[in-house]
Amino acid sequence: MSAAPAHAPAAARAEFGDALVLLYALVFARQYFWVVENNAVAWALAAAAALAATYIYVKTKPLAPEPPGRSFWLVVALPLLFVYALRAPFPDFSFDVLNYRLLHAERSLRGPLFAAGDFFPTPAPYNPAPDTLTGLFRYLLGYRLGTVVNLLALVWAAQLTDRILRPSVARAWLRALCVLAVVLAEHLLFEVNTYMADLLALPLLLEATLLALRAGGAGRPRAVFVRAALLLGAAVAFKLTNLVAAVPVALVCAHQALFGPGRMAARELIKTTALALAAFAAPLLPFAVYLCAQTGNPFFPLANTLFRSPYWPTGGGWDGRWGPRGAWETLLWPVLVFFEPGRHSELAVYSGRLGLGFAASLAGLFVARRGSTAWTLCLISLLGCLLWSAAGMGYSRYGLHLELLSGAAVVAVASTLLARGPAGRRSPLAPAAGVLFAALLAAQVLLACRLAGRYEWAMRRTALDDFDGWAADAKEFLRDRSLVSYLPAAERERLAGVGVWVESGMKSNGVEALLSPETPVLGVRYQEYFTTGRAWRRYAEAVERAAGGRALSLCLPEDLPSALAAVRGRGLGVERFTPVEVPFFSERRRVGMMLLEVSLPGEAEGLRRLAEGGSWKGGAFRDEDYRARVESLDAPAAMRAGEKRALRFRVENRGGATWPARGNEINWYQVNLGDRWLDPAGGLVNDMDARAALPFDLAPGASVELTLGVTAPRRPGDYVLEIDLVHEGITFFRDKGSRPLRLPVRVEP
C-alpha cells in the first residue's frame, strides 16, 4: 500500500493493465485527430500522442505496483479464460452489436462517426471510443477473438480487486479465491464474449476507486486526485451512464482533500480542482465538441431539454421499462431487483449480488473501523447503489461496477467480522455473521455461474452444450477478418457497387457496415430524426448527394413490412425486394435477410418535397402550440384490478396550430389522446396504456369529446390516472409545458 518511489524508472512501475492503458489512450487520441483527413497520418499522430501520454501515466504513478502473484493467475485468470473460451468460437450477433456498435467501430477506425453523405446512420450516436478499441482487436485477431479485449479488461479489473482486498485478506491464495468470487457475477460474464462496451470501463472505475481508498496514505495527493479524475472521465466517455458510478468516488476524493490527513490549503485545493476538472474533461472533450457541431447537443440525444437540438423531439429521457417505480422502490431497489429481474434487464434473470452487497455495505458502516479501507469501500458501494437507483436507472448494464464493489464489500465485511479482536470488544455473534455473509456470497456465485452457462446477450450455446459446433467454428479463428469473404459469389455480386445504404430495419446496420463500411447511410427508420423542417432539409441534402448511385437496404424478414413503410414514408421508392443469406463469419450460421433495391427521387420537384418534409405532417409545432385543456366527463373514483373501461374526455386546443387527426401511412405525426398510470408519488406504473384518435383536425380554440379505453393496473392500491395528448413520433404535450389531467383512482381487488 506504499506510495511509488518518486524517481523509479517507468519500467519498474509498469503493470499488466498499462498495456490496455496505451490502447485506451490511443482511441481517445484518435478523436483529437479526426480533423486530419489522411487516416494513416491521423493514426500515426494518435499513436505518438498515446505513447507519450502512457509514458507519463506510468512514470507518475502515485502508488507502488503490487503484482498479484502466481495464486492470482491460477485461481482467477485461468477460470476467466475458461469461461471466455466456452463461447469464443461462436460469432457475436447480439442486438446492440448489429444495431449500431459495429458501424461505430468501422466508422471510427476510419475517421469521424458520421461520414460525408450520411443522415443519422446510427440510432445511438454515443461516443464510439469503446467500439474503436474492440474494432482494433477485431482487425488484429478476427471477428471471434476480437472480444478478447473484454477478457483482458476483466482480468485487469480482477487485479485491482485483489489490491482493494489486500487490507482485508492477507493470505494470497485465500484472497485469490475471494477475488474469483467477486468477478463471477453473471452480468459480467454475460458480456465477456460480446462487442458491447460495458466491461471496458470497469478497470478505469476500479483504479479510480483504489486511488480514493488509498488517498489518505499517498505521498502526492494532487497526483492521486488528478489521476482519479482522468480515469473517471475516460470511464464516462466510454459510457455516459458511468457518471453515476463516478460520483461516489469523486465525493470520497473530495472528502480526503478537505478533511483527510493530508488536507489541502485553499490555494493548493483550487489548483488541484482545476487540474482534476481538466483531466476529467480531456477524454470527453473531442467527441462532445464534434457531436455538438453535428447536432447542437454535446450529449445528443440525452439532455435535449437543455440543449434543444433540432434533430430530436424530446428530452432524451430514461426508458421507463427498467428500474424502480416510486420512492420506496428506489430506496430498496438493490434488494428488490432480485424479485423483479424483468425490470433489471431484457434477460430477466438475476442472482442477487447487489442485494447482498447492499446489506453487507450497510453492516460494514457499523462493524468496520470508520475511515478504514473496508469502511470506505462499503460507503462507496452503498452510495453507488443508491445513486444508480435514484437516477432512474436500475438497469443491469449500468451497474456492473456495483456488481464488483458489492462482492468486494461482502468479502471485506465478512473478513472484519471474522477477524480476531481484543477480548471483550467483539460481539460473540460476529463470527457467525461473518460466516453467514461468506456462505451467502458462495451461494450467489453458484447461482451466477449457473445463469452464465444458460444466458448471455447473444444467447449462444457453450462448448458444454454443443462441442461439435464449438470445434467446427474454432477452425475459423484468425481467418474471420472479412464478412465479404464468406459471401457466395452470387450474393457478393448482388451487394456490390452500393452507393448508399438506406437503413430501414433493426440488426442490419452492422451487416451493412461490415460489407461496405465507408458507404454513406440514410437512416430512415428512426422517426425522431424527422420531426422538424431543419431535419428534413438535412435529409433532402443527403438524398440529393446520393442521387444517381445504387441505393440498397437490408432488413430481417420479420421487419420487412415496417422497413417498406419507413422507406416509403421518407419519400423513397422500393423497386423490388428479394431474400439473401449472409453467412455470418461461418457457413453454419447464416442470417436470412431481405435485400431492398431503393429508388431515390432525382427530379427537382421530388427533392423540394423532401426538403419541405412532404407536408405539414413532417415537423413539430412550436412549444407554445402544445397547449391543451383536458376535462374528464365521467371520472371513476375506483376501478377493479385489471378492469377495462371506456372513459369520456373533452379536449380543447389552446395552442396556435391545428392539430392533425391523421398522420402518414404508419401513423406518425397525428395527435392522439393517451393515458398512463402513476403511483401517488408520481412514479411510472404503466406507460402508453391506450390511445384515442381525433375524429378531425382540431383548430385552435376548438374542442372535441373523445372516448378512451383504459385498463386499471393488476395490483390493488391507490394510483393516479394521467391523461395527456401526444404528437406521435414527436413528443408528449407534457414535455412541452402543457399540463396533463391527473385523476386519483382507487384500484380494488
Side-chain angles (χ1 to χ4, degrees):
M1 295 195 294
S2 62
H7 302 292
R13 299 167 182 256
E15 299 176 88
F16 172 84
D18 293 330
L20 281 180
V21 167
L22 173 62
L23 295 175
Y24 283 34
L26 177 61
V27 299
F28 286 121
R30 180 64 181 89
Q31 293 184 355
Y32 276 94
F33 291 103
W34 274 354
V35 294
V36 179
E37 293 187 5
N38 186 297
N39 195 38
V41 172
W43 274 109
L45 293 172
L51 284 169
T54 304
Y55 176 82
I56 295 171
Y57 178 88
V58 174
K59 179 70 176 174
T60 60
K61 280 188 178 181
L63 300 178
E66 296 174 288
R70 182 173 59 179
S71 58
F72 174 87
W73 296 106
L74 293 176
V75 176
V76 181
L78 198 58
L80 289 178
L81 176 61
F82 174 76
V83 170
Y84 176 80
L86 287 176
R87 289 189 174 98
F90 301 136
D92 176 24
F93 50 87
S94 48
F95 183 91
D96 284 2
V97 172
L98 293 182
N99 199 34
Y100 62 91
R101 293 216 168 273
L102 289 176
L103 179 132
H104 286 194
E106 293 294 331
R107 286 295 180 77
S108 59
L109 287 169
R110 293 166 173 80
L113 183 60
F114 293 172
D118 277 344
F119 179 80
F120 291 101
T122 167
Y126 305 137
N127 196 318
D131 305 305
T132 314
L133 182 62
T134 56
L136 289 172
F137 275 81
R138 179 160 48 83
Y139 269 77
L140 180 65
L141 301 174
Y143 190 84
R144 289 167 172 80
L145 289 179
T147 57
V148 77
V149 63
N150 288 326
L151 175 64
L152 298 176
L154 194 54
V155 171
W156 181 13
Q159 285 192 343
L160 293 165
T161 304
D162 177 90
R163 297 183 69 175
I164 289 172
L165 291 179
R166 287 193 178 205
S168 299
V169 185
R171 296 171 59 186
W173 287 93
L174 178 59
R175 187 171 64 251
L177 285 171
C178 293
V179 172
L180 180 64
V182 169
V183 297
L184 289 181
E186 74 278 6
H187 278 279
L188 300 176
L189 305 183
F190 287 163
E191 294 197 39
V192 73
N193 292 106
T194 74
Y195 281 102
M196 298 166 83
D198 307 279
L199 291 181
L200 299 177
L202 285 184
L204 301 173
L205 293 169
L206 282 178
E207 183 91 48
T209 302
L210 177 65
L211 289 168
L213 294 172
R214 304 277 184 88
R220 291 175 289 161
R222 182 195 293 179
V224 169
F225 299 141
V226 172
R227 180 177 293 260
L230 176 66
L231 292 164
L232 294 176
V236 174
F238 268 16
K239 202 173 187 74
L240 285 173
T241 51
N242 284 329
L243 183 61
V244 173
V247 169
V249 179
L251 289 175
V252 169
C253 288
H255 183 271
Q256 290 285 0
L258 292 169
F259 309 108
R263 57 182 175 273
M264 297 180 171
R267 181 176 295 181
E268 178 69 10
L269 182 63
I270 292 172
K271 186 180 296 185
T272 300
T273 301
L275 289 172
L277 289 174
F280 180 84
L284 290 156
L285 190 61
F287 185 72
V289 171
Y290 170 78
L291 195 60
C292 190
Q294 291 289 325
T295 68
N297 179 350
F299 307 108
F300 184 86
L302 303 177
N304 208 48
T305 302
L306 176 63
F307 293 99
R308 296 186 179 276
S309 166
Y311 305 112
W312 195 264
T314 66
W318 177 240
D319 190 335
R321 294 176 296 168
W322 317 116
R325 297 166 183 167
W328 281 107
E329 279 198 4
T330 297
L331 184 63
L332 298 175
W333 186 244
V335 177
L336 295 177
V337 68
F338 179 75
F339 304 98
E340 295 279 358
R343 283 197 272 145
H344 184 49
S345 79
E346 293 89 337
L347 297 175
V349 293
Y350 192 56
S351 67
R353 167 66 66 82
L354 287 177
L356 180 58
F358 190 76
S361 297
L362 277 173
L365 295 183
F366 295 96
V367 303
R369 180 175 54 83
R370 183 180 177 87
S372 65
T373 298
W375 188 90
T376 308
L377 175 64
C378 289
L379 179 64
I380 293 174
S381 177
L382 191 63
L383 287 175
C385 284
L386 292 174
L387 282 171
W388 169 73
S389 179
M393 296 178 181
Y395 180 65
S396 63
R397 291 193 289 115
Y398 303 160
L400 296 189
H401 176 240
L402 296 173
E403 299 274 334
L404 285 174
L405 287 188
S406 293
V410 173
V411 171
V413 170
S415 175
T416 299
L417 291 167
L418 291 169
R420 296 179 180 271
R425 297 189 59 183
R426 187 176 66 147
S427 168
L429 296 178
V435 170
L436 177 61
F437 274 120
L440 288 174
L441 179 61
Q444 180 267 318
V445 167
L446 290 175
L447 178 56
C449 290
R450 182 182 178 190
L451 293 175
R454 298 171 57 188
Y455 298 89
E456 58 113 36
W457 286 100
M459 292 305 290
R460 292 166 289 184
R461 305 182 74 182
T462 70
L464 303 178
D465 305 317
D466 181 16
F467 183 77
D468 290 341
W470 185 94
D473 269 348
K475 296 177 182 178
E476 300 297 319
F477 280 150
L478 302 177
R479 299 164 52 188
D480 51 350
R481 291 181 174 84
S482 167
L483 182 61
V484 175
S485 66
Y486 285 85
L487 291 177
E491 303 288 25
R492 198 178 305 178
E493 184 176 347
R494 293 171 66 188
L495 293 166
V498 57
V500 63
W501 290 113
V502 179
E503 180 55 33
S504 63
M506 294 182 291
K507 296 184 70 172
S508 57
N509 186 307
V511 174
E512 293 166 351
L514 291 171
L515 292 174
S516 184
E518 297 181 80
T519 299
V521 177
L522 301 176
V524 300
R525 72 177 173 93
Y526 320 122
Q527 65 192 56
E528 292 85 356
Y529 295 135
F530 290 87
T531 61
T532 66
R534 183 171 170 182
W536 276 97
R537 288 191 293 274
R538 179 168 174 169
Y539 170 66
E541 291 169 0
V543 172
E544 183 176 16
R545 186 166 183 164
R550 189 180 185 211
L552 299 178
S553 181
L554 288 170
C555 71
L556 298 178
E558 59 267 28
D559 294 334
L560 180 60
S562 61
L564 291 172
V567 172
R568 291 165 178 162
R570 306 306 178 202
L572 310 181
V574 178
E575 296 178 356
R576 63 182 64 85
F577 51 87
T578 53
V580 296
E581 275 199 344
V582 178
F584 198 72
F585 296 102
S586 170
E587 292 298 326
R588 301 174 63 252
R589 303 183 184 279
R590 294 176 173 267
V591 179
M593 308 191 80
M594 300 300 295
L595 176 65
L596 283 63
E597 297 183 41
V598 179
S599 58
L600 306 176
E603 76 284 359
E605 179 63 20
L607 291 170
R608 185 188 64 79
R609 286 198 300 270
L610 281 183
E612 294 175 354
S615 70
W616 49 266
K617 299 174 184 177
F621 306 137
R622 300 173 303 168
D623 284 6
E624 54 267 32
D625 292 332
Y626 290 102
R627 296 294 181 268
R629 182 177 183 271
V630 183
E631 177 186 3
S632 173
L633 302 180
D634 54 0
M639 295 178 67
R640 295 188 307 276
E643 177 187 0
K644 295 183 179 180
R645 185 181 296 187
L647 303 180
R648 295 182 302 119
F649 299 92
R650 183 174 301 280
V651 175
E652 180 184 353
N653 182 347
R654 292 192 168 184
T658 297
W659 298 343
R662 298 290 180 269
N664 64 7
E665 61 189 76
I666 52 177
N667 299 320
W668 294 343
Y669 312 125
Q670 69 190 52
V671 172
N672 291 330
L673 187 70
D675 75 293
R676 63 177 184 169
W677 291 88
L678 310 174
D679 62 27
L684 183 64
V685 175
N686 183 10
D687 200 9
M688 297 174 61
D689 178 40
R691 290 283 199 270
L694 298 175
F696 47 78
D697 293 350
L698 196 64
S703 62
V704 65
E705 183 179 315
L706 299 174
T707 300
L708 181 67
V710 303
T711 303
R714 296 191 176 277
R715 293 183 180 180
D718 292 320
Y719 294 93
V720 175
L721 174 62
E722 182 181 273
I723 310 297
D724 193 16
L725 289 123
V726 55
H727 196 182
E728 298 290 356
I730 296 180
T731 186
F732 283 93
F733 279 38
R734 61 176 177 266
D735 293 334
K736 296 297 185 179
S738 185
R739 179 177 297 180
L741 175 66
R742 291 189 171 183
L743 303 169
V745 179
R746 175 70 178 173
V747 175
E748 301 172 341

